[in-house]
Amino acid sequence: KDLAELEEKAEENLLMLCEEKERQQEKLCELKREVLLKEREQKLEEALDKQMEVLSPLVSVLERFKEQYKSFAVSLDATRHKLPIKNIHIEGDMPTYLDELQKQLTITQELLEEVMPSYSEESAKASSILKDLKEVSQKLDKELRRSFAQVQKLSYEVSKEVSLHNQSICEENHGLDVVKHWYFN
């Protein structure tokens, strides 16, 4: 009876120790996680400090750049409707010059339209001829491939026949037993 009671107590103690061990292991894992997190945070803080050291002098440059960019954008917006004209002498005022230029461009366009139809007809003819030429060349290519394959096959057959003919002549001249030793050991 005492032994059974002692065994029960020992089992209970063993269960309690196992549970305590599991709790301690969980606590250990949690502490390890916390330590790793703190180390990672410390490394990130060090990297951030280094970045701050390197980038802090650039803040003033960035501010200057923003101001210059804003003034550039304002001046660009103000002058975007006027195209700069360099090395061109314009007699009179700009609107008159632009009107005259528009007339000349219209005349040039009309002349090009008169000339272009004849070229477009010629290019259409050339295009159809090129298409026909392409089709003919593709047909010739197919025929040449087929002919080449036939020539290769014929060449193979001729070589085979010549080889067999020479073999039969050698067998007649030297005898079948001698020729066997040439081909087979």
Side-chain angles (χ1 to χ4, degrees):
K1 237 180 186 183
D2 290 337
L3 185 60
E5 285 179 18
L6 283 176
E7 283 180 358
E8 267 184 50
K9 284 183 183 179
E11 283 180 19
E12 287 176 13
N13 287 338
L14 188 61
L15 284 173
M16 285 188 342
L17 286 174
C18 285
E19 289 175 2
E20 183 65 27
K21 180 183 174 186
E22 285 180 24
R23 279 195 299 267
Q24 292 297 328
Q25 283 181 342
E26 287 176 6
K27 195 174 184 181
L28 178 67
C29 287
E30 188 176 323
L31 289 173
K32 281 184 181 179
R33 260 188 260 126
E34 287 179 15
V35 167
L36 287 174
L37 281 174
K38 285 183 180 179
E39 286 176 1
R40 196 175 299 152
E41 285 178 8
Q42 186 178 3
K43 287 180 183 178
L44 287 173
E45 285 177 8
E46 289 173 3
L48 185 61
D49 289 340
K50 287 180 184 177
Q51 287 179 353
M52 289 300 288
E53 284 179 27
V54 172
L55 296 177
S56 59
L58 298 177
V59 172
S60 62
V61 174
L62 179 65
E63 290 300 321
R64 235 179 334 163
F65 175 75
K66 282 182 182 179
E67 291 172 14
Q68 290 174 351
Y69 186 78
K70 283 180 184 177
S71 65
F72 172 71
V74 168
S75 63
L76 182 66
D77 190 44
T79 60
R80 70 178 171 175
H81 300 294
K82 290 185 177 181
L83 297 175
I85 299 174
K86 292 183 179 181
N87 301 327
I88 297 177
H89 175 68
I90 299 173
E91 291 183 18
D93 61 343
M94 182 72 79
T96 308
Y97 174 75
L98 290 176
D99 289 339
E100 185 63 31
L101 185 63
Q102 180 67 33
K103 288 177 190 175
Q104 296 299 326
L105 287 173
T106 306
I107 293 170
T108 305
Q109 183 178 2
E110 290 171 0
L111 289 173
L112 284 174
E113 287 173 358
E114 288 177 13
V115 174
M116 287 305 288
S118 64
Y119 286 133
S120 64
E121 290 172 9
E122 290 176 9
S123 70
K125 289 178 187 176
S127 175
S128 66
I129 291 171
L130 284 175
K131 250 186 201 175
D132 294 341
L133 184 61
K134 183 179 177 183
E135 290 173 7
V136 169
S137 67
Q138 287 175 347
K139 287 179 184 176
L140 280 174
D141 186 48
K142 287 179 184 176
E143 289 177 16
L144 282 173
R145 286 183 188 170
R146 194 177 313 120
S147 298
F148 185 70
Q150 289 173 349
V151 166
Q152 278 185 322
K153 189 174 179 181
L154 185 61
S155 172
Y156 166 75
E157 293 294 327
V158 167
S159 294
K160 182 178 167 184
E161 287 298 319
V162 168
S163 178
L164 290 173
H165 178 69
N166 286 339
Q167 182 180 353
S168 66
I169 290 174
C170 284
E171 287 173 359
E172 287 176 11
N173 290 343
H174 301 287
L176 189 60
D177 292 331
V178 174
V179 174
K180 277 185 187 178
H181 291 293
W182 291 352
Y183 294 109
F184 309 106
N185 287 338

